[in-house]
Amino acid sequence: MKSVSKTIVLIALSLVVGVGIGYLWPHGEGTMNQAATDENKILYYKAPMDPNYRRDSPGKSPMGMDLVPVYASDADMDDAGVVSINPRIINNLGVRTAAAKFSPLSRRIETVGYISYDEDTLHQINTRVSGWIEELATKATGDPIKRGQVLFELYSPMLVNAQEEYLAALKSSNTALHKASGERLIALGFTNKEITRLNSQRSVEQRIKVYAQSDGVVAHLGVRQGSYITPATEVMSIAKLDRVWILAEVFERQAAWVQPGQMASVELDYIPGKRWHGTVDYIYPELDPVTRTLKVRLRFDNSDQTLKPNMFTRVVISDNKTSPSIHVPLQALIRGGSVDRLVLALGDGRFRSVAVQVGIESGDRVEILAGISAGDKVVTSGQFLIDSESNVDSALARMEQTPTAAEPDAATQDSDADHHHHVMESSP
């Protein structure tokens, strides 16, 4: 009997201890219920038509509408400008993001240009007397020319008479006349070699040969066989192709980025993948009044003569770098009439449009002076669709809104709202 009593006492004590431990031990279900309660907690009440009108207790809005509760689970989504998109829809829209970087931004200029002869190598052919072109050796622009090659033969009555006078002076013993007639031949374009021939052969040449002074190609041909020319006639010009100029057009806003001596590179459509490297040789002193661009001259070696005059080129001028700054892909920027924007990816399918201050554009990057921080993720694809769903105007208004003395305080607004509501109810 005694042992049975002991057993009953022990069982009773065990039950008491078990109940106490169960009471003190936290319940998982209770924790979940508490979390759910926190999420369903009402933070404040807002007006349905004006998210800026918030109160701690239920009531009426200035328009007489019931205030709507805002729960903790919806607090983030209550921020103006925040848009929530289902992850599956994000994938279907092809939304892509990129992080804002903080680093030096190269002042990269991408533009177009065309190849031209190096005018330092141009050699203009003119005559010092009038006459007729005979035996024109070159027939077309672009023909190759070698130094010492005969370009054309010229018949000039003036040169014929000058030769005859020289030979007459040569036969005479008048030294002064001989010297003067020789100097006249030199002034009319005779060479010392041709005067030596006159001294030895003592015969007049009816046609005088004109020779090339350098290698190159015919850049311009202004005469034909049998043409009558004067000293003012531009017979032809010869240019070398071992060096060429490229004339590039730089936009006015990038004019300050270009300096003589900067490195430049060009690509041609007819040789994809190959790049030529040169330098900025000269910056012209004025802008084109029609295109509003600045002409920049680049100098390139062309020993293989691959670069042909008048070819179209893609030009990249890149040398100077800015101090470290925040920059994002240019395609992420949404241009506006007075405000430029970016769409930030907040995570968990949430996005917000923010106003930004834009700096320089360099290639496919754009500098952001204010509005975001380094590391922020910006939307680079699909941002226009997201931006259209975001209440940007109200978001900017709330960010810039500051209370003034003329604005009524919350108590006054409540009083005015209640009075307005009372009047509405009292009026027939």
Side-chain angles (χ1 to χ4, degrees):
M1 188 68 181
K2 217 177 205 185
S3 60
V4 173
S5 299
K6 283 183 178 181
T7 301
I8 293 173
V9 171
L10 289 174
I11 290 173
L13 288 173
S14 299
L15 289 174
V16 171
V17 171
V19 170
I21 293 174
Y23 177 79
L24 295 175
W25 190 265
H27 296 280
E29 184 178 356
T31 303
M32 294 176 62
N33 291 335
Q34 182 65 33
T37 302
D38 292 340
E39 290 184 359
N40 293 327
K41 180 181 178 182
I42 297 177
L43 299 181
Y44 54 86
Y45 295 83
K46 68 175 183 178
M49 303 301 293
D50 183 8
N52 291 324
Y53 187 86
R54 301 181 181 185
R55 293 295 177 266
D56 295 332
S57 59
K60 297 289 184 179
S61 70
M63 298 180 65
M65 303 176 67
D66 292 334
L67 299 180
V68 177
V70 175
Y71 297 93
S73 58
D74 297 330
D76 291 339
M77 298 311 303
D78 189 57
D79 292 340
V82 175
V83 175
S84 179
I85 304 178
N86 188 287
R88 184 175 61 183
I89 298 178
I90 293 176
N91 185 56
N92 292 338
L93 292 176
V95 175
R96 294 191 298 270
T97 62
K101 296 181 179 180
F102 182 78
S103 63
L105 184 62
S106 174
R107 292 185 174 180
R108 178 185 177 94
I109 301 174
E110 295 182 0
T111 183
V112 296
Y114 59 92
I115 301 173
S116 174
Y117 291 108
D118 186 340
E119 294 181 8
D120 291 342
T121 68
L122 278 175
H123 177 62
Q124 184 73 39
I125 305 297
N126 290 80
T127 61
R128 300 181 183 181
V129 295
S130 299
W132 286 264
I133 296 291
E134 297 183 2
E135 298 298 329
L136 183 61
T138 178
K139 305 297 183 181
T141 300
D143 286 350
I145 298 296
K146 295 294 184 182
R147 179 183 175 88
Q149 173 184 337
V150 177
L151 298 176
F152 58 90
E153 294 182 5
L154 175 68
Y155 170 72
S156 172
M158 184 180 292
L159 285 177
V160 172
N161 293 336
Q163 292 179 76
E164 291 174 346
E165 291 175 1
Y166 179 80
L167 291 178
L170 191 60
K171 291 179 182 179
S172 69
S173 58
N174 191 334
T175 305
L177 181 60
H178 176 261
K179 181 179 180 182
S181 60
E183 290 176 349
R184 183 167 183 262
L185 284 176
I186 294 295
L188 293 177
F190 257 60
T191 64
N192 290 327
K193 183 178 180 180
E194 289 169 333
I195 293 179
T196 301
R197 184 200 60 78
L198 273 177
N199 291 332
S200 62
Q201 296 182 4
R202 304 295 178 95
S203 62
V204 175
E205 286 284 350
Q206 296 294 318
R207 295 187 298 189
I208 303 301
K209 295 181 175 64
V210 178
Y211 298 90
Q213 302 300 314
S214 62
D215 296 339
V217 297
V218 178
H220 170 71
L221 182 63
V223 298
R224 293 300 176 192
Q225 181 80 18
S227 297
Y228 176 77
I229 63 173
T230 67
T233 303
E234 295 182 4
V235 179
M236 66 178 67
S237 58
I238 300 173
K240 293 184 178 180
L241 281 178
D242 55 349
R243 290 183 308 176
V244 294
W245 286 351
I246 294 181
L247 302 178
E249 305 286 341
V250 175
F251 288 113
E252 183 177 0
R253 67 174 182 272
Q254 299 173 327
W257 300 3
V258 188
Q259 299 294 331
Q262 283 182 249
M263 299 301 297
S265 63
V266 299
E267 292 182 348
L268 304 177
D269 289 336
Y270 90 108
I271 307 181
K274 187 173 181 179
R275 184 171 296 177
W276 286 263
H277 299 277
T279 58
V280 175
D281 181 59
Y282 181 72
I283 301 172
Y284 287 79
E286 62 180 7
L287 268 69
D288 189 306
V290 178
T291 62
R292 305 303 302 167
T293 57
L294 180 68
K295 185 179 291 186
V296 177
R297 189 174 74 205
L298 314 174
R299 187 186 296 272
F300 285 79
D301 291 328
N302 188 35
S303 55
D304 58 357
Q305 298 188 6
T306 306
L307 302 176
K308 310 294 184 183
N310 297 320
M311 275 186 172
F312 180 82
T313 63
R314 295 187 300 275
V315 180
V316 176
I317 304 173
S318 178
D319 190 15
N320 298 332
K321 293 185 177 181
T322 64
S323 56
S325 60
I326 299 174
H327 50 92
V328 299
L330 181 60
Q331 61 182 349
L333 185 65
I334 301 175
R335 293 288 190 182
S338 58
V339 178
D340 298 322
R341 303 188 297 276
L342 291 172
V343 176
L344 294 180
L346 306 178
D348 298 329
R350 296 177 299 122
F351 303 91
R352 174 191 288 138
S353 292
V354 295
V356 294
Q357 183 180 352
V358 178
I360 65 171
E361 293 181 17
S362 179
D364 59 351
R365 308 289 295 183
V366 58
E367 181 184 22
I368 305 299
L369 302 177
I372 63 172
S373 303
D376 287 349
K377 287 189 176 181
V378 298
V379 180
T380 60
S381 176
Q383 67 271 30
F384 292 96
L385 295 174
I386 299 174
D387 180 68
S388 64
E389 295 295 328
S390 177
N391 189 359
V392 178
D393 293 335
S394 62
L396 295 177
R398 284 197 298 276
M399 286 189 290
E400 298 175 357
Q401 185 178 11
T402 54
T404 60
E407 294 179 354
D409 56 15
T412 305
Q413 290 183 354
D414 286 342
S415 176
D416 292 344
D418 293 339
H419 175 71
H420 175 72
H421 184 63
H422 177 71
V423 171
M424 293 293 292
E425 288 180 345
S426 303
S427 59

